[in-house]
């Protein structure tokens, strides 16, 4: 019997993927996941979404499982709204892998699946903090990765000339964001089994 607790949440823009912080300044100025739900003691996020990103975030009280998931090649699917109308050559480059900066070094991303979405996906309205300029053309892509380097998708799209203005994670393994509202949290009965079904 699994004595641990597992959750999925729709992390809104403006929240750190942390329960709290050891830095007094961050505690004063930042928002944390504990504002959104009364998680049991020992709950930790699995992976991260940066402060300006939103969407599916998994959490668990099972530290070993969190480590296994973070190190495993589990698919993560994102929808990214880009500044400008992305062309087919740029999509081809993203698929093949592009060179990005990572902690002062160059890193070439692994091949991944990328496709342009012909229509904007149905989502809650963008957070005003994102300051998406409505008078400029934007486009949407779907991107599926099995890695998750620091700010990877934002760096990838900027590398081909189309900065990301909105980023939403919609799937991890076989667990979907679909149907969730911003800030909502749901419990998951068997996190390990669901995630392993989503391995490539």
């Amino acid at each position: 019997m699994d004595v641990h607790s597992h959750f999925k949440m729709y992390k809104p823009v403006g929240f750190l993927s942390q329960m709290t912080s050891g830095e007094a300044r961050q505690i004063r100025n930042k928002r944390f996941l504990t504002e959104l739900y009364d998680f049991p003691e020992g709950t930790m996020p699995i992976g991260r979404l940066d402060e300006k990103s939103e969407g599916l975030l998994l959490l668990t009280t099972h530290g070993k499982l969190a480590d296994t998931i973070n190190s495993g090649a589990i698919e993560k699917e994102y929808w990214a709204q880009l500044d400008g109308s992305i062309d087919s050559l740029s999509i081809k480059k993203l698929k093949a892998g592009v060179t990005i900066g990572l902690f002062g070094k160059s890193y070439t991303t692994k091949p991944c699946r990328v496709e342009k979405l012909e229509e904007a996906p149905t989502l809650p309205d963008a957070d005003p903090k994102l300051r998406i300029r409505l008078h400029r053309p934007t486009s949407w892509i779907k991107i599926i990765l099995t890695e998750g380097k620091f700010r990877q998708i934002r760096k990838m799209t900027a590398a081909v000339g189309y900065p990301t203005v909105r980023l939403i994670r919609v799937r991890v393994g076989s667990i979907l964001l679909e149907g969730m509202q911003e800030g909502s949290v749901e419990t998951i009965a068997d996190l390990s089994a669901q995630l392993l079904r989503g391995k490539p």
Side-chain angles (χ1 to χ4, degrees):
M1 183 178 174
D2 190 351
V3 297
H4 288 281
S5 301
H6 317 288
F7 307 90
K8 68 174 185 175
M9 74 180 306
Y10 186 146
K11 186 194 88 67
V13 170
F15 284 79
L16 297 181
S17 294
Q18 299 171 208
M19 311 311 282
T20 186
S21 173
E23 297 179 27
R25 186 179 173 204
Q26 272 202 336
I27 289 174
R28 284 196 305 272
N29 299 323
K30 300 293 184 180
R31 303 186 73 184
F32 300 93
L33 303 179
T34 44
E35 281 187 49
L36 301 171
Y37 189 81
D38 185 16
F39 292 102
E41 188 176 346
T43 302
M44 67 197 79
I46 302 171
R48 295 190 173 223
L49 286 170
D50 67 52
E51 193 173 357
K52 289 184 177 180
S53 298
E54 61 193 279
L56 183 61
L57 185 65
L58 304 177
L59 304 100
T60 183
T61 58
H62 195 323
K64 190 173 180 181
L65 176 60
D67 290 341
T68 301
I69 292 166
N70 280 329
S71 61
I74 293 170
E75 285 189 347
K76 302 169 190 74
E77 181 176 336
Y78 300 80
W79 293 337
Q81 185 179 12
L82 310 179
D83 186 356
S85 184
I86 192 167
D87 56 45
S88 56
L89 178 60
S90 297
I91 287 179
K92 191 173 179 181
K93 289 178 181 176
L94 291 172
K95 286 180 177 178
V98 294
T99 300
I100 60 174
L102 199 64
F103 305 117
K105 297 182 179 179
S106 292
Y107 175 78
T108 301
T109 60
K110 294 178 182 177
C112 61
R113 290 151 58 192
V114 185
E115 65 179 78
K116 186 173 182 177
L117 300 177
E118 296 308 318
E119 294 184 3
T122 302
L123 290 163
D125 290 341
D127 190 292
K129 288 192 285 289
L130 295 178
R131 296 178 184 162
I132 297 170
R133 290 171 284 187
L134 298 178
H135 62 281
R136 289 175 62 89
T138 63
S139 52
W140 286 87
I141 59 170
K142 176 171 75 176
I143 182 165
I144 299 173
L145 307 172
T146 54
E147 56 179 344
K149 303 299 183 185
F150 179 67
R151 297 175 67 86
Q152 179 170 344
I153 292 175
R154 294 182 184 278
K155 291 179 178 183
M156 287 174 68
T157 66
V160 297
Y162 296 91
T164 294
V165 294
R166 188 179 185 189
L167 183 62
I168 306 101
R169 184 158 65 200
V170 297
R171 178 172 68 85
V172 177
S174 60
I175 300 173
L176 304 176
L177 178 70
E178 190 175 33
M180 296 187 76
Q181 299 298 313
E182 288 178 281
S184 63
V185 177
E186 297 176 11
T187 57
I188 299 174
D190 192 342
L191 178 60
S192 180
Q194 287 200 50
L195 282 172
L196 292 176
R197 285 206 301 271
K199 286 192 75 166

